[in-house]
Amino acid sequence: MSVQKSDGMSYAPKGKPAPVVKPGEYRFAAMHLDHGHIFGMCNGLLEAGAELVKVYDPDPAKVANFVKTYPQAQVAKDAREILEDPAIRLVAAAAIPSERGPLGCRVMEHGKDYFTDKTPFTSLQQLAQAKRTVAATGKRYFVYFSERLHVECAVAAGELVQQGRIGRVVQVMGLGPHRHGPAGSRPDWFYRRAQYGGILADIGSHQVEQFLHYTGNTEATVQMAKVANYRFPQFPEFEDFGDFSVIGGNGATGYHRVDWLNPEGLCTWGDGRTVLLGTEGYIELRKYCDVAHDKAGDVLILVDHKGEQRIPVAGKVGFPFFGQLIRDSLDRSETAMTQAHIFKAAELCLQAQAVAVRVG
Amino acid sequence: MSVQKSDGMSYAPKGKPAPVVKPGEYRFAAMHLDHGHIFGMCNGLLEAGAELVKVYDPDPAKVANFVKTYPQAQVAKDAREILEDPAIRLVAAAAIPSERGPLGCRVMEHGKDYFTDKTPFTSLQQLAQAKRTVAATGKRYFVYFSERLHVECAVAAGELVQQGRIGRVVQVMGLGPHRHGPAGSRPDWFYRRAQYGGILADIGSHQVEQFLHYTGNTEATVQMAKVANYRFPQFPEFEDFGDFSVIGGNGATGYHRVDWLNPEGLCTWGDGRTVLLGTEGYIELRKYCDVAHDKAGDVLILVDHKGEQRIPVAGKVGFPFFGQLIRDSLDRSETAMTQAHIFKAAELCLQAQAVAVRVG
């Protein structure tokens, strides 16, 4: 596995190839390359056997950069060259957040499944439109919740939970610190509320998806939320801190904190952690590094009634999501994740954003 | 330093003697030995030069156990032998939580300062009575918030914050997992709501005191709180999980999670952590162990713009609180902590308990 770790925007893990289809059996295209996550999304699909056939972005510079990594992608001059190509089954996209929902509806209306970078939406109206379009077209709206799906220790933790290793998971605590990086390194839309949607709607989406997954909840309510801009007064619409708490239908709860304050001295872009508190033990995920101890991430700390274990899993687990997504797309199954799960995660982070108290 | 770490109830750190008074200059007594914290409280005072002259508890077995450790303490047959002894300046007590407030008022009305185990109160009525008694008598109501005052890395973290090492502290996240221990190891009052006060009023008190201290807040409001009993249905009044969030007057916020779920396999009684999130870095306190890495606790993880550091501070910092308390008692100063700070911490954890949503 080879991962560029200096900032989250270009975090694009590579895993072991584990094809679930034959060559040429599953073709996809990439459109709208605004967020670097598009590389991680394409890597995952390619490793699972999909074929990347076309790319489109209105900005030729972004396309030129993209085809350096993926020379096999034919450059489309217009979005229609992708949308109207019957050989393309899925469009992967990392548009500006506020454009992701409408783009997804357009893709689905053209008879293709859609795979977008998180966050999937910036408003509940967009979510409602996507729900209607999924119902009308029978197509799927997949989301790249990378902080679980593309992190090996997050996959491994899910397996331990499934095995009952820590009993019933009663709380998920997720910390998603992100490095802002040098001044000037982020695009304009990053600071515009109408475009990025707010910190909870954006990077909070990863968090609540993990809550639903690890606790096995299909329903939850937001109990509280907060946002602040402590360190970037030059960007008045930006939020560099947010937290929220959810109460799941089964009584498990979540607390989630996200920020853009991760200091420059950290060896990677963010000291992301998740703690799964169970009735018979707990698991701490040290995702991107084991701070001040080991630059390699993907470490699980497992404590149960027998003892304490530190379990490094980098390179041992892989990313089963992408193959499952391709099979779901071909078989119309819901193995990777259900559409209801995706929409519920989107709904909760948007609700958290909507009720958030501004504290700074 | 020598610390018994198998459970929190008998956690009684010993530090380096650093007397602030001459022998015989400051005499105190111990009363009501219901919680093992009384040993930590006495150790701290003795190391700072105080003289332990008397002990009283209605239960002779508790007294017999106490004088094994402190043979210098004369056994009083009645509480009045302590309360009416003009040579005694302070009464240290670890009564059942619901009795701490009334006992403190009785002590202050007898012209002595009071030093109680946390939590200081189980109701806002008790807090109001204590405020009135402090005002009427001019005496002090000190509280043993051990999870900051008697933990070297917590003291060291406060010094780093004071130095501005991580900029402005914008969030305090505190995790206070506690081990319940074997069935039968806890007294009856531990499970009775009217006596222990609820999990947030009890062990949540440590948490909010740390929030106020590290963020420099004198005012805060409770934004949300939750409690649950996930694992001990045989004790219907018990709460084994709770969390709450506070918003400080200066815009910094706190999230605090406490539980009685810490598994048997951990090398100590609880994997207590505190994370201080600053605008220019963060500090993680690994209080009682560095889980799956080092059984020794008192480790600071400091990340700033220059790099990552792991700083073990056990044996290097000591516990300045106790000497400051004695000087405050003699000089009528407020160096150890202000009375307003103590009462505000008490108020907030009681408010959190009062508004807590029951989730399990």
Side-chain angles (χ1 to χ4, degrees):
Chain A
M1 313 258 162
S2 154
V3 180
Q4 196 280 82
K5 297 176 78 169
S6 69
D7 67 78
M9 193 134 177
S10 49
Y11 180 76
K14 285 193 174 182
K16 294 173 193 163
V20 298
V21 285
K22 292 180 196 139
E25 193 180 342
Y26 192 81
R27 296 195 169 97
F28 76 102
M31 275 174 75
H32 292 276
L33 317 173
D34 295 283
H35 197 296
H37 277 169
I38 192 69
F39 291 93
M41 296 160 70
C42 290
N43 289 349
L45 291 171
L46 292 168
E47 287 154 12
E51 189 179 343
L52 173 56
V53 293
K54 288 185 184 171
V55 58
Y56 171 73
D57 191 280
D59 176 0
K62 287 197 182 73
V63 173
N65 184 52
F66 185 83
V67 296
K68 268 191 253 171
T69 302
Y70 307 110
Q72 71 269 45
Q74 182 193 329
V75 176
K77 294 202 179 79
D78 189 285
R80 283 174 301 175
E81 287 182 35
I82 289 172
L83 295 172
E84 295 171 6
D85 182 342
I88 292 171
R89 290 182 177 266
L90 176 132
V91 170
I96 291 170
S98 58
E99 298 172 9
R100 290 171 187 169
L103 175 63
C105 292
R106 196 171 160 214
V107 166
M108 292 188 290
E109 284 159 359
H110 280 82
K112 300 177 196 325
D113 290 328
Y114 180 59
F115 180 35
T116 180
D117 185 25
K118 68 73 225 165
T119 181
F121 309 103
T122 54
S123 75
L124 289 162
Q125 289 73 17
Q126 292 176 354
L127 168 62
Q129 187 199 5
K131 283 183 178 178
R132 285 193 300 269
T133 308
V134 164
T137 62
K139 295 299 160 188
R140 294 291 306 276
Y141 194 107
F142 293 106
V143 178
Y144 180 61
F145 291 114
S146 54
E147 292 187 19
R148 183 174 66 83
L149 304 171
H150 227 166
V151 174
E152 287 188 289
C153 75
V155 176
E159 291 168 4
L160 290 171
V161 167
Q162 277 296 315
Q163 292 162 17
R165 191 60 191 273
I166 57 169
R168 174 184 168 203
V169 176
V170 294
Q171 207 229 19
V172 173
M173 194 181 76
L175 306 181
H178 286 63
R179 175 177 294 161
H180 177 275
S185 63
R186 299 279 177 177
D188 273 2
W189 61 260
F190 185 82
Y191 304 104
R192 297 188 193 279
R193 171 64 188 263
Q195 290 186 288
Y196 82 92
I199 192 170
L200 299 180
D202 181 13
I203 54 180
S205 62
H206 291 291
Q207 292 291 328
V208 73
E209 192 279 331
Q210 290 172 82
F211 165 75
L212 293 173
H213 178 76
Y214 290 124
T215 63
N217 268 301
T218 55
E219 301 292 337
T221 56
V222 175
Q223 190 190 14
M224 72 90 187
K226 290 188 278 296
V227 293
N229 181 355
Y230 290 119
R231 195 163 180 261
F232 298 90
Q234 67 273 39
F235 301 114
E237 294 183 22
F238 188 58
E239 294 164 352
D240 62 12
F241 176 89
D243 70 356
F244 63 109
S245 183
V246 289
I247 301 175
N250 67 11
T253 69
Y255 171 73
H256 307 280
R257 187 185 92 179
V258 290
D259 69 71
W260 289 100
L261 300 172
N262 219 84
E264 295 304 313
L266 191 79
C267 67
T268 181
W269 59 270
D271 186 1
R273 314 257 192 116
T274 305
V275 181
L276 309 177
L277 177 65
T279 51
E280 311 300 330
Y282 61 97
I283 300 171
E284 178 183 350
L285 291 71
R286 299 183 180 171
K287 290 185 166 183
Y288 314 114
C289 68
D290 191 348
V291 59
H293 180 50
D294 191 344
K295 285 188 166 54
D298 283 311
V299 171
L300 295 179
I301 305 293
L302 169 64
V303 185
D304 60 14
H305 295 309
K306 287 183 206 142
E308 306 169 7
Q309 286 183 73
R310 182 182 186 277
I311 311 171
V313 301
K316 297 180 184 168
V317 180
F319 308 114
F321 170 75
F322 300 93
Q324 292 169 347
L325 180 157
I326 292 170
R327 290 309 329 169
D328 283 354
S329 178
L330 286 168
D331 307 338
R332 312 319 288 169
S333 53
E334 293 203 306
T335 307
M337 55 174 64
T338 68
Q339 190 63 67
H341 172 83
I342 291 167
F343 284 157
K344 184 55 69 177
E347 179 188 343
L348 289 165
C349 69
L350 290 167
Q351 288 175 335
Q353 186 73 47
V355 302
V357 173
R358 177 93 189 203
V359 295
Chain B
M1 313 258 162
S2 155
V3 180
Q4 197 280 82
K5 296 177 78 169
S6 68
D7 68 76
M9 193 134 178
S10 50
Y11 180 77
K14 285 194 174 182
K16 294 173 193 163
V20 298
V21 285
K22 292 179 195 142
E25 194 180 341
Y26 192 81
R27 295 195 171 96
F28 76 104
M31 275 174 75
H32 292 275
L33 317 173
D34 294 284
H35 198 295
H37 277 170
I38 192 69
F39 291 93
M41 297 161 69
C42 290
N43 290 349
L45 291 170
L46 292 168
E47 287 155 12
E51 189 179 342
L52 173 56
V53 293
K54 288 185 183 171
V55 58
Y56 171 74
D57 191 279
D59 177 0
K62 287 198 182 72
V63 172
N65 184 50
F66 184 85
V67 297
K68 269 190 252 170
T69 302
Y70 307 111
Q72 71 269 46
Q74 182 192 329
V75 176
K77 295 202 179 77
D78 189 284
R80 282 174 302 174
E81 287 182 35
I82 289 172
L83 295 173
E84 295 170 6
D85 181 342
I88 292 171
R89 290 183 177 266
L90 176 132
V91 171
I96 291 170
S98 57
E99 298 172 9
R100 290 171 187 169
L103 175 62
C105 292
R106 196 170 160 216
V107 167
M108 292 188 289
E109 283 158 359
H110 281 81
K112 301 179 194 323
D113 290 328
Y114 180 59
F115 180 35
T116 180
D117 185 25
K118 69 71 227 166
T119 181
F121 309 103
T122 54
S123 75
L124 288 162
Q125 291 73 19
Q126 292 176 354
L127 168 61
Q129 187 199 5
K131 283 184 177 177
R132 286 193 299 269
T133 308
V134 164
T137 63
K139 296 298 160 188
R140 293 291 306 276
Y141 194 108
F142 294 107
V143 178
Y144 181 61
F145 290 114
S146 54
E147 293 187 18
R148 184 175 65 83
L149 304 171
H150 227 165
V151 174
E152 287 188 290
C153 75
V155 176
E159 291 168 3
L160 290 171
V161 167
Q162 278 296 316
Q163 293 162 17
R165 192 60 190 274
I166 57 169
R168 174 184 168 202
V169 176
V170 294
Q171 207 229 19
V172 173
M173 195 182 74
L175 306 181
H178 286 62
R179 176 178 293 161
H180 176 275
S185 63
R186 299 281 177 176
D188 273 1
W189 61 259
F190 184 82
Y191 304 104
R192 296 188 194 280
R193 172 64 188 262
Q195 289 186 288
Y196 81 93
I199 192 170
L200 299 180
D202 182 12
I203 54 180
S205 62
H206 291 291
Q207 293 291 328
V208 73
E209 192 279 331
Q210 290 173 81
F211 165 75
L212 293 172
H213 179 76
Y214 290 123
T215 62
N217 268 301
T218 54
E219 300 293 338
T221 56
V222 176
Q223 190 189 15
M224 72 90 187
K226 290 188 278 297
V227 294
N229 182 354
Y230 290 118
R231 196 165 179 258
F232 298 89
Q234 67 273 39
F235 301 113
E237 294 183 23
F238 188 58
E239 295 164 353
D240 62 11
F241 175 89
D243 70 356
F244 64 108
S245 182
V246 290
I247 301 174
N250 67 11
T253 69
Y255 172 72
H256 307 281
R257 187 185 92 180
V258 290
D259 69 71
W260 290 100
L261 300 172
N262 218 84
E264 296 303 313
L266 192 79
C267 67
T268 181
W269 59 270
D271 186 1
R273 313 257 191 117
T274 305
V275 181
L276 309 177
L277 177 65
T279 51
E280 311 299 331
Y282 61 97
I283 301 171
E284 178 183 351
L285 290 72
R286 298 182 181 173
K287 289 185 167 183
Y288 314 114
C289 68
D290 190 349
V291 59
H293 180 50
D294 190 344
K295 285 188 165 57
D298 283 310
V299 172
L300 295 180
I301 306 292
L302 169 65
V303 185
D304 59 14
H305 295 309
K306 287 184 208 142
E308 307 170 6
Q309 285 183 74
R310 182 182 187 276
I311 311 172
V313 300
K316 297 179 184 168
V317 180
F319 308 113
F321 169 76
F322 300 93
Q324 292 169 348
L325 180 156
I326 292 171
R327 290 308 331 167
D328 283 354
S329 178
L330 286 168
D331 307 337
R332 311 320 287 170
S333 52
E334 293 203 307
T335 307
M337 56 174 64
T338 69
Q339 190 64 66
H341 171 83
I342 291 167
F343 285 157
K344 183 56 69 178
E347 179 188 342
L348 288 165
C349 69
L350 291 167
Q351 288 174 335
Q353 186 73 48
V355 301
V357 173
R358 178 94 189 202
V359 294

